[in-house]
């Protein structure tokens, strides 16, 4: 691993001591790289977050909690999010029609939404691994108690000069995190073949959720087939219209569309400065035009009156 001198200016190198294991009975030094978290899309916790690069492959939240506790004491660390977990795609169990009409759905009440979320979580198959192994060079974002904790951690990392001062990875955490090695593989083999009752219960919940979503999508498609949108168009969906279109519906949709266009045109009138100038110039031209017309009318009346000869 590269040493602290190879770290970029924005990162602080955080050396940790990796204890020997049966598969590699040699003590090693691993370097984490820390900096203040500054994502492209800001979040409320950015000021008290640390971006950590090059995390160990066997990282867990328990390991990082123990690591920060040995570095700056307990109570500073709050949680950690591994970037690899965010990138892992989640399979969609939505019916095809529900996916197509997702943009037209209305938000439900909080109670119904929380109940649906619980049902969908219960419909997921259980994980077959007791512990995640991350690719080499992965990263994570650690959230600390407050902004002061971030400064304390960065200062403590800079003070690590001698190998004897390096925190030991896994110290105080190995007895709390699920074990690796042969026991980890045995647990994986066991979880890969759940009992019939457990699988049946999950499938029952899954198809209950699936049928509910399919019914909601069918009702939504039926409503959209008879309901013109704000532009006066009717959404074309599978199954055709539920009933023939009436003339009054078409006239009503047309009137709505014309009213909307008139309103939009009215809102955009006099919106820009050049529009105001053009409007004043047009009004002046119209005024001059009417003046010239009135002038010609008056002249014509004068000429006509001059030629008038009363009868004697």
């Amino acid at each position: 691993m590269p040493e602290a001198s190879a770290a970029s200016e924005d990162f602080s190198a955080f050396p940790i001591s990796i204890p020997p294991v049966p598969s590699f009975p040699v003590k090693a030094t691993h370097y984490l790289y820390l900096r203040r978290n500054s994502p492209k899309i800001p979040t409320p916790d950015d000021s008290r977050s640390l971006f950590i690069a090059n995390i160990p492959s066997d990282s867990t939240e328990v390991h990082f909690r123990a690591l920060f506790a040995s570095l700056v004491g307990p109570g500073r660390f709050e949680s950690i999010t591994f970037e690899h977990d965010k990138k892992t795609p989640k399979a969609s169990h939505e019916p095809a029609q529900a996916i197509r009409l997702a943009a037209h759905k209305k938000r439900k009440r909080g109670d119904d939404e929380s109940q649906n979320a619980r049902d969908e979580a219960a419909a997921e198959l259980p994980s077959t691994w007791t512990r995640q192994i991350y690719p080499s060079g992965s990263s994570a974002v650690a959230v600390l108690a407050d902004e002061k904790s971030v400064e304390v951690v960065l200062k403590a990392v800079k003070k690590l000069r001698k190998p004897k001062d390096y925190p030991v990875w896994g110290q105080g955490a190995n007895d709390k995190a699920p074990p690796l090695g042969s026991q980890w593989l045995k647990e994986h083999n066991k979880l890969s073949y759940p009992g019939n009752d457990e699988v049946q219960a999950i499938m029952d919940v899954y198809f209950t959720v699936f049928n509910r979503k399919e019914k909601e999508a069918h009702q939504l498609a039926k409503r959209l087939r008879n309901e013109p949108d704000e532009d006066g168009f009717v959404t074309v969906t599978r199954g055709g219209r539920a009933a023939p279109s009436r003339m009054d519906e078409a006239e009503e949709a047309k009137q709505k569309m014309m009213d909307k266009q008139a309103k939009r045109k009215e809102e955009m009138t006099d919106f820009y400065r050049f529009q105001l100038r053009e409007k004043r110039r047009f009004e002046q031209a119209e005024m001059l035009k009417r003046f010239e017309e009135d002038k010609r009318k008056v002249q014509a009346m004068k000429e006509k009156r001059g030629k008038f000869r009363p009868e004697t």
Side-chain angles (χ1 to χ4, degrees):
M1 297 301 299
E3 297 185 358
S5 59
S8 69
E9 296 179 358
D10 294 335
F11 285 87
S12 297
F14 182 10
I16 58 176
S17 179
I18 305 294
V21 293
S23 59
F24 189 73
V26 179
K27 186 177 180 180
T29 301
H30 182 89
Y31 285 88
L32 304 175
Y33 296 96
L34 283 66
R35 65 166 171 79
R36 293 179 181 273
N37 188 36
S38 55
K40 294 181 179 179
I41 303 177
T43 62
D45 296 328
D46 289 344
S47 60
R48 60 189 185 102
S49 301
L50 283 173
F51 178 80
I52 309 173
N54 196 36
I55 63 172
S57 298
D58 60 342
S59 296
T60 64
E61 182 172 338
V62 176
H63 280 74
F64 276 99
R65 187 177 299 276
L67 181 67
F68 281 97
S70 64
L71 181 66
V72 293
R76 301 282 187 181
F77 180 85
E78 185 173 302
S79 64
I80 190 167
T81 303
F82 298 99
E83 294 297 322
H84 182 74
D85 294 342
K86 294 181 180 179
K87 296 178 182 177
T88 303
K90 186 178 180 181
S92 175
H93 306 302
E94 296 277 346
Q97 191 173 21
I99 295 175
R100 290 196 302 270
L101 302 176
H104 301 277
K105 280 187 177 180
K106 293 183 178 179
R107 191 173 183 86
K108 295 187 176 181
R109 293 180 302 176
D111 297 340
D112 295 339
E113 192 171 359
S114 59
Q115 181 61 41
N116 293 342
R118 287 194 294 269
D119 292 343
E120 291 177 16
E124 295 289 335
L125 290 173
S127 175
T128 58
W129 296 100
T130 58
R131 185 167 165 184
Q132 180 70 39
I133 298 297
Y134 298 100
S136 177
S138 297
S139 59
V141 175
V143 180
L144 305 185
D146 47 30
E147 190 173 355
K148 185 179 179 181
S149 299
V150 175
E151 298 176 359
V152 172
V153 169
L154 293 176
K155 288 180 180 179
V157 167
K158 292 180 180 179
K159 293 180 180 179
L160 296 175
R161 301 295 182 185
K162 299 179 181 179
K164 65 178 183 178
D165 299 329
Y166 297 169
V168 179
W169 178 253
Q171 189 174 19
N174 288 330
D175 55 339
K176 300 177 182 178
L180 294 176
S182 59
Q183 188 174 353
W184 177 59
L185 295 175
K186 289 179 182 178
E187 288 294 328
H188 169 64
N189 187 60
K190 181 180 178 181
L191 293 173
S192 298
Y193 301 95
N196 293 337
D197 295 339
E198 183 180 0
V199 174
Q200 185 63 51
I202 294 174
M203 290 298 101
D204 291 342
V205 176
Y206 173 82
F207 280 107
T208 300
V209 173
F210 186 89
N211 292 335
R212 172 179 57 79
K213 291 184 176 182
E214 198 170 39
K215 183 179 178 181
E216 291 175 355
H218 178 71
Q219 293 174 350
L220 179 61
K222 185 177 179 180
R223 178 173 62 83
L224 293 175
R225 286 197 295 267
N226 296 287
E227 194 174 283
D229 59 14
E230 56 183 8
D231 292 324
F233 297 100
V234 177
T235 303
V236 178
T237 57
R238 292 184 62 183
R241 291 181 56 84
S245 177
R246 300 195 303 269
M247 182 62 70
D248 56 347
E249 288 182 358
E251 291 295 333
E252 183 181 358
K254 181 180 179 181
Q255 186 61 38
K256 285 183 179 179
M257 183 173 62
M258 293 176 64
D259 294 343
K260 183 179 178 182
Q261 290 176 350
K263 183 179 179 182
R264 185 181 300 173
K265 186 177 180 180
E266 183 180 354
E267 290 175 352
M268 294 303 295
T269 304
D270 301 339
F271 186 77
Y272 297 103
R273 186 175 298 176
F274 77 89
Q275 289 179 319
L276 293 173
R277 291 198 300 267
E278 292 291 335
K279 183 178 179 181
R280 286 196 295 268
R281 189 179 294 113
F282 178 77
E283 290 176 351
Q284 291 174 358
E286 288 293 321
M287 188 180 298
L288 289 173
K289 183 179 179 181
R290 290 197 298 271
F291 176 76
E292 293 295 334
E293 290 178 356
D294 293 341
K295 188 176 178 181
R296 286 194 297 270
K297 288 180 182 179
V298 170
Q299 185 65 29
M301 290 174 62
K302 286 182 179 180
E303 292 177 357
K304 186 175 181 181
R305 186 175 60 183
K307 295 178 180 179
F308 176 74
R309 295 290 185 270
E311 297 181 0
T312 58

